[in-house]
Amino acid sequence: MGVLPAALAAIAIALLPQAAVAKAADKKPPVTTPIIFVHGQSGSAQQFQANAMRFASNGFPNSRIFAYEYNTLNSTNDEAIAGLDTLIAEVRATTGAGAVDVLAHSRGTTVMHSFLSTPERSALVRRYVNYDGRTAAAPPGGVPTMAIWGEGDQTRAIAGAANVYFPNKAHTDVTTSRAAFVPVYKFLLGRKPTTSNVKPEAPGKVSVAGRAVDFPANAGLAGRRFEAWVVDPATGRRTGSAPVYSTTLPESGAWGPFKVDPRKRYEFAVVGGEITIHNYPESFERDDLLYRVNDAAVLRPFIDNGPNSAVVVVLRMREWWGDQPDAQGNDSLSVGGLEVINPAVAPRIRRVLAVFNFDDDLDGQTDASAALAPFNSIAFLTAVDNFMAASPGGTGTIPVRQVMRGAKRHTKTINVPNWPSSEGASTVHFREYAAKKYRANKPGKRRVGGN
């Protein structure tokens, strides 16, 4: 992230989730050990969003699932470790648990190895999961450990730990996939999960909550207005005269929870800043309490914007691949009709999670033959010179279509308005799995759901 200005303040943030948090426990010991996820470089709770829902799909209480977020622009982990001290103390006090389970990814494993090196701290962690990060000669702090490894050196290990390898899953994919979820669940719960799917819930039962933050510091967009609108799936445009939920964001940037209808599509807008952030998720099939709406003020100087062109950022917490020899091994992503995944823009080695689309130099031209600077040197990001005509008020439509790699070639299209980039930017957030719809029970049959 060397291109980022040093002026961005260093902040460590430890937050309880905005879900319905359990009240102080009674004297009985907790049935379920709370889980805390610690993200990696430029990460957030997004890397645990899918598996948090998989835990809940197996009856794990949402009130015992937490995400710890911190500013990875800091060159050291001192503030991150101190903030984790605070969060663990809050989780123990809130839930009545004597210890917690921690799952850490990438740089988060470095945070955890340092944290667990102190006996007083390691005594507070019952079990530890190390996702595609640090190796070690022994389980850190002597805590029972499982290490999950993605593509790369398959000799990596934590000696004395349960080491599990997924050589065809990328660095972030290994934290979000259901294949990796199964051994982790068994390690923490002592039994296999009933399902490895994200199971849909009935309409009227689904809530969503999260934070609106500035990437990559994870600092809340305090004082701005968060609005949730129902939109027309065919156009992405708002269907009502008022949002179905709105709130002024506190210092943490937390919003929700509020009820959503799995049969409808939504726009999450954050207004009151330099530009409006328009966020377009897929429909919500079950409670999602770790959703993130990102601004990225530090990247704005590198994104050309004006009244005649739109900006669309496409996110997915499973790496986009565009250079594999087998066609089924590549993803497809079309934004406004332009295919933006290819060997130059999204080679596997780049671990791309976000694709920025904007009219470079505002010349009305399109060129997807190369990734734009400086995005081509920023971890997990890429960018394409993609001219998409804008209209006042976003009265036109930009189709965003993904075809997920693999034999099934799952396809999903999200249509968004063509907002002028001088006033706003759109973010499309695709699931990293193929979500299914709720199916009601039939007499004598079990409901089958999942992804």
Side-chain angles (χ1 to χ4, degrees), residues 6 15 23 25 35 72 88 96 110 121 136 142 160 170-172 234 254 272 275 302 354 396 436-437 448:
L15 290 173
K23 295 181 180 179
I35 288 173
T72 56
I88 289 178
T110 299
R121 287 170 168 150
H171 183 63
T172 296
I275 62 172
F302 308 110
K436 296 198 180 217
K437 296 180 180 179
V448 178

Side-chain angles (χ1 to χ4, degrees), residues 274-358:
E274 182 180 346
I275 62 172
T276 297
I277 304 301
H278 304 277
N279 184 284
Y280 298 92
E282 290 192 39
S283 297
F284 295 93
E285 72 270 34
R286 69 170 299 114
D287 286 352
D288 188 342
L289 306 176
L290 295 177
Y291 195 85
R292 294 295 178 263
V293 177
N294 294 328
D295 193 1
V298 72
L299 296 175
R300 203 165 293 136
F302 308 110
I303 302 173
D304 294 325
N305 62 77
N308 299 319
S309 62
V311 169
V312 177
V313 184
V314 186
L315 290 173
R316 190 182 74 185
M317 292 302 108
R318 184 191 187 205
E319 288 84 346
W320 302 96
W321 289 354
D323 63 345
Q324 299 305 287
D326 181 356
Q328 289 188 356
N330 290 313
D331 296 287
S332 170
L333 177 62
S334 171
V335 182
L338 177 69
E339 176 59 56
V340 298
I341 299 297
N342 59 48
V345 172
R348 181 170 175 169
I349 196 172
R350 289 275 346 271
R351 298 174 172 177
V352 170
L353 299 174
V355 184
F356 287 70
N357 295 260
F358 58 90

Side-chain angles (χ1 to χ4, degrees), residues 132 148-154 156 164-177 179-180 316 318-321 323-326 328-331 348 405-407:
D132 213 44
I148 304 290
W149 305 103
E151 61 181 345
D153 183 0
Q154 294 298 295
R156 293 177 296 167
V164 183
Y165 297 90
F166 294 92
N168 201 39
K169 293 196 178 300
H171 183 63
T172 296
D173 186 19
V174 81
T175 72
T176 61
S177 72
R316 190 182 74 185
R318 184 191 187 205
E319 288 84 346
W320 302 96
W321 289 354
D323 63 345
Q324 299 305 287
D326 181 356
Q328 289 188 356
N330 290 313
D331 296 287
R348 181 170 175 169
R405 65 177 180 270

